Amino acid sequence: MDTRFGSSLLPIEIDEGMQGMGASLAIRTEGLGKDYGGVRALSDLQLEVAQGEVVGYLGPNGAGKTTTIRLLLGLARPSAGRAEIFGLDCQHQTVEAHRRLAYVPGEANLWPSLTGEETLHLLGRVQGQVDAHYRDVLIDRFDLDPSKKVRAYSKGNKQKILLIAALMARPDLLVLDEPTSGLDPLMEQVFRHCVTEARQAGQTVFLSSHILSEVEALCDRVGILREGRLVEMGTLAEMRHLSTLTVDATFDRVPPELGGVAGVRRALVDGRHVHLEVQGSVGPLIDALAGTGVRKLLSREPSLEELFLAQYGPDGSAPVPTRAPAVAGDRS
């Protein structure tokens, strides 16, 4: 019995036959597309997310992230293709699919006259199942006062309500669209901890976010959308090719000529210091540096932000040439 809210919520029974469908994939789309009038919002999306994965979904405003999520939730009808949640058709088996997932939007539309406690109780009834103990743990973690009216909550506190409501259901799939909007840095850390817990429990997380450090810290794989098309999908290690590696070398004598070395896109000499931008393998550069009197060598792989900027311009809309990261770390 839930002692905090006065009653426990019984889970909705899910048909065992449904649980076996699409056992290996939490999300699957085939040629998924959406047009709004004459505007193509999403085109030929081929996406697979395995159970237990945390996948980041990136792109500037208008790239098609929210459109994808609306199609997955059955809130919009596709113009082409199809989408499945655990093998359930998102258009024709929407109710069954929703029993397996919880959704957190970036903007909270809640009932202003209800308290936080009443809102969580209502959302729990809608979801169909609640881990009452975990709900209370989450309330404490997110430092939420559930006795206040929703109208008295800040934007961040309203977002906490949505996060708690989603997490307390322990769903098989969490669909999160800018979930930390309005949260302060401390609460963002709490959110990351909760996502890590969800992954450890075998839950799947589909995370759309503009906070690149958040995606980099949490996600097993990352997809990048550009103008409605999925242009990159893979682990961060697999996507490092999108950006150059910066290498700074300091010599104890006049530096050798390195501009012609395979993979070196740029070489800037300043006295005994050389700044290099390398794409692909650094093996040829290391071979060229052997015996040249290198005193210090600094390099770093690109961050997710730099990978993102390799696909988008600084304004978030146009692709730009590969951008070299700043120097950090010592591999000498």
Side-chain angles (χ1 to χ4, degrees):
M1 178 70 70
D2 173 16
T3 58
R4 183 166 190 162
F5 277 41
S7 64
S8 60
L9 303 181
L10 298 177
I12 290 177
E13 295 294 332
I14 299 175
D15 184 81
E16 292 182 359
M18 292 176 185
Q19 291 179 330
M21 298 177 69
S24 62
L25 292 176
I27 297 173
R28 180 171 179 265
T29 70
E30 290 183 346
L32 191 64
K34 180 62 178 176
D35 297 337
Y36 290 101
V39 178
R40 176 62 55 88
L42 191 67
S43 180
D44 193 28
L45 179 65
Q46 308 285 346
L47 178 66
E48 291 187 350
V49 177
Q51 289 193 39
E53 258 195 313
V54 179
V55 170
Y57 204 51
L58 300 177
N61 291 334
K65 303 188 305 297
T66 298
T67 296
T68 301
I69 289 174
R70 287 178 60 81
L71 292 168
L72 291 175
L73 295 175
L75 300 177
R77 185 176 297 277
S79 304
R82 66 194 306 266
E84 295 178 352
I85 299 290
F86 298 106
L88 300 166
D89 188 283
C90 295
Q91 288 296 312
H92 302 108
Q93 296 172 288
T94 308
V95 174
E96 294 91 338
H98 280 204
R99 289 175 180 167
R100 305 287 301 273
L101 65 85
Y103 166 57
V104 176
E107 292 292 333
N109 272 321
L110 300 172
W111 304 272
S113 60
L114 297 184
T115 65
E117 177 178 324
E118 291 167 340
T119 302
L120 287 173
H121 181 83
L122 178 57
L123 291 174
R125 297 290 291 181
V126 171
Q127 178 62 32
Q129 56 188 13
V130 172
D131 182 333
H133 172 71
Y134 190 45
R135 177 196 59 210
D136 293 345
V137 169
L138 292 168
I139 288 172
D140 291 335
R141 278 187 191 172
F142 282 101
D143 193 24
L144 178 74
D145 181 355
S147 66
K148 288 185 176 180
K149 297 279 190 182
V150 167
R151 66 168 60 93
Y153 284 141
S154 65
K155 175 180 173 58
N157 279 324
K158 290 176 182 176
Q159 198 65 20
K160 291 177 188 179
I161 289 280
L162 294 178
L163 286 169
I164 293 169
L167 292 164
M168 72 185 186
R170 302 264 196 195
D172 296 323
L173 171 64
L174 286 160
V175 178
L176 310 176
D177 190 5
E178 302 293 342
T180 57
S181 175
L183 296 188
D184 62 40
L186 180 61
M187 292 299 104
E188 287 180 12
Q189 291 300 316
V190 172
F191 165 76
R192 295 186 190 188
H193 176 64
C194 292
V195 171
T196 299
E197 279 187 341
R199 176 202 278 120
Q200 291 171 346
Q203 294 168 261
T204 306
V205 181
F206 187 69
L207 171 63
S208 171
S209 176
H210 278 98
I211 303 175
L212 300 180
S213 60
E214 181 174 87
V215 174
E216 189 165 22
L218 293 173
C219 295
D220 301 309
R221 290 191 300 145
V222 176
I224 298 179
L225 280 179
R226 180 199 293 162
E227 297 177 350
R229 290 186 176 274
L230 187 65
V231 294
E232 291 288 340
M233 187 76 191
T235 66
L236 291 178
E238 292 169 343
M239 294 172 65
R240 298 297 181 190
H241 70 280
L242 296 177
S243 186
T244 56
L245 179 74
T246 291
V247 177
D248 275 71
T250 302
F251 297 81
D252 57 11
R253 64 185 77 146
V254 176
E257 171 58 45
L258 299 170
V261 176
V264 174
R265 298 183 56 186
R266 192 180 185 195
L268 299 177
V269 180
D270 182 9
R272 295 184 178 182
H273 177 81
V274 180
H275 175 83
L276 302 152
E277 295 177 5
V278 183
Q279 191 161 38
S281 172
V282 295
L285 176 62
I286 298 301
D287 292 341
L289 290 174
T292 59
V294 176
R295 181 188 300 272
K296 194 173 184 180
L297 197 63
L298 302 174
S299 68
R300 181 175 66 79
E301 292 182 329
S303 68
L304 179 58
E305 183 172 6
E306 290 151 353
L307 295 176
F308 187 80
L309 288 172
Q311 289 294 325
Y312 295 99
D315 63 354
S317 60
V320 295
T322 304
R323 175 186 176 113
V327 176
D330 191 347
R331 296 183 181 177
S332 58

